[in-house]
Amino acid sequence: MSLAPSAKGTVPFKEFETWYRVTGDLDSERPALVLLHGGPGSTHDYMLNMAELSELGFPVVHYDQLGNGGSTHLPDRGAAFWTVKLFLDELDNLLQGLGIADKYVLFGQSWGGMLAARHASKGPEGLRGLVIANAPASYQLWLREMKVLREQLPEEVNATLLRHEAAGTTQSDEYFDAMRVFYEKHVCRLSPWPRDYMASFMEIYNDPTVYYAMNGPSEFHVIGTLKDWSVEECSADIEVPTLLISGRYDEATPATVQPFYDNIPDARWEIFEESSHLPHLEEPERFREVMAEFLKGIA
């Protein structure tokens, strides 16, 4: 079955623009599947293969969050500008702008999963289901588990990372090379990295404004404004059917996902045994099967 044609455009948001792409028909009887990418400060590119889910009759909406990709870039805005509320407001605006606020499903990956969880906890009437993929319930848990994973790296690699983090030289080539060792183990285990993932990776590298402000210089050195942020306390307020996804080698370890499973009333959890942080790329066939079962159950 061939994919339905995709439509691209922008939705005005404040004085800015949010870029989006729709695969399928938004007038479908089935809810739209809206994809929230990670980062913060990444792009939709690494999630492009999820457009195939439109074959199930669910229109798929990709979008680039403000600050990166096809949306408005704001490299001169400081950390105070980049808030969780900004991105929640942008999501609400996108749903209204596309006319799907009355019937939609959210898929949030990594940071996008936390953002989707906070949105869902507010009880929006049009939300039919939620997927939280490869996301921690809090950055406190994330940082605790990052320490565990880093200590499993070769001693010289972690020593290099620690030395540059202490010196504030995390933009050096040596830090980048040592960082790749962690990423190849806990972010994407495919070799070489898929083109779609590389596209998003380089988008962050080319404009790290949002990522540096909210996260920090790497996945495991979170020193930005999100370092104390949590959605653990509001996850019990999520009332829609929820699918949790993580990989066996994921940087989002089971300990970081457990609060979602414990607190969300209607949650199921699928662990992908051959994946790290990107099961949709690392185990695409099983990923499609799991998603198809979940989506058909809430249609």
Side-chain angles (χ1 to χ4, degrees):
M1 182 176 181
S2 60
L3 289 180
S6 61
K8 302 175 184 178
T10 58
V11 170
F13 172 55
K14 301 181 185 292
E15 64 267 43
F16 316 119
E17 291 186 329
T18 300
W19 180 94
Y20 70 87
R21 162 184 162 150
V22 177
T23 306
D25 184 1
L26 289 182
D27 292 326
S28 168
E29 292 183 1
R30 289 182 163 173
L33 176 63
V34 182
L35 309 179
L36 282 66
H37 64 68
S42 186
T43 62
H44 77 284
D45 300 86
Y46 76 100
M47 302 171 77
L48 271 173
N49 73 336
M50 292 190 207
E52 296 174 0
L53 296 172
S54 65
E55 295 175 354
L56 303 173
F58 297 83
V60 175
V61 179
H62 290 83
Y63 78 102
D64 287 333
Q65 295 162 24
L66 189 66
N68 276 82
S71 296
T72 306
H73 288 233
L74 297 160
D76 296 329
R77 298 297 175 106
F81 176 80
W82 303 106
T83 64
V84 172
K85 184 179 185 303
L86 174 74
F87 291 103
L88 288 171
D89 289 348
E90 182 185 33
L91 173 59
D92 288 340
N93 183 75
L94 178 75
L95 296 172
Q96 292 290 340
L98 295 180
I100 56 176
D102 61 338
K103 190 175 62 175
Y104 63 100
V105 176
L106 288 188
F107 181 107
Q109 201 275 333
S110 199
W111 136 264
M114 297 182 74
L115 193 68
R118 177 56 61 89
H119 173 92
S121 73
K122 298 177 181 294
E125 291 185 7
L127 183 63
R128 299 289 187 264
L130 173 67
V131 184
I132 301 174
N134 319 101
S138 77
Y139 276 93
Q140 297 96 324
L141 284 172
W142 178 269
L143 287 168
R144 189 186 75 191
E145 291 296 290
M146 286 299 110
K147 185 176 186 297
V148 173
L149 296 179
R150 285 177 59 144
E151 289 174 350
Q152 297 172 2
L153 295 173
E155 186 175 346
E156 66 278 8
V157 172
N158 199 28
T160 297
L161 294 171
L162 290 169
R163 184 173 71 252
H164 284 288
E165 287 163 4
T169 52
T170 54
Q171 297 187 42
S172 70
D173 290 342
E174 189 179 33
Y175 185 84
F176 182 86
D177 292 341
M179 183 180 73
R180 279 284 301 239
V181 176
F182 180 95
Y183 280 44
E184 289 168 0
K185 188 174 182 180
H186 297 297
V187 180
C188 185
R189 291 165 57 83
L190 298 176
S191 182
W193 281 351
R195 182 176 64 179
D196 290 348
Y197 174 61
M198 280 300 301
S200 287
F201 187 86
M202 294 312 297
E203 285 274 8
I204 295 178
Y205 186 79
N206 291 333
D207 186 352
T209 304
V210 183
Y211 189 74
Y212 283 2
M214 299 185 76
N215 186 85
S218 69
E219 294 290 277
F220 46 79
H221 188 47
V222 180
I223 56 175
T225 56
L226 291 178
K227 66 181 184 299
D228 297 315
W229 187 50
S230 172
V231 293
E232 186 172 352
E233 75 288 348
C234 68
S235 59
D237 297 327
I238 296 173
E239 298 179 347
V240 296
T242 300
L243 171 64
L244 305 173
I245 288 175
S246 62
R248 179 60 65 191
Y249 305 95
D250 205 330
E251 58 181 349
T253 66
T256 71
V257 180
Q258 190 68 45
F260 286 133
Y261 187 68
D262 293 341
N263 295 335
I264 298 173
D266 185 4
R268 53 175 281 208
W269 188 357
E270 293 284 344
I271 297 178
F272 287 70
E273 295 295 336
E274 303 300 323
S275 295
S276 53
H277 201 51
L278 305 171
H280 67 281
L281 294 176
E282 294 169 291
E283 294 182 67
E285 291 184 7
R286 179 162 180 249
F287 175 83
R288 283 192 291 271
E289 291 172 359
V290 169
M291 285 295 297
E293 180 183 359
F294 176 72
L295 289 171
K296 289 177 180 178
I298 61 174

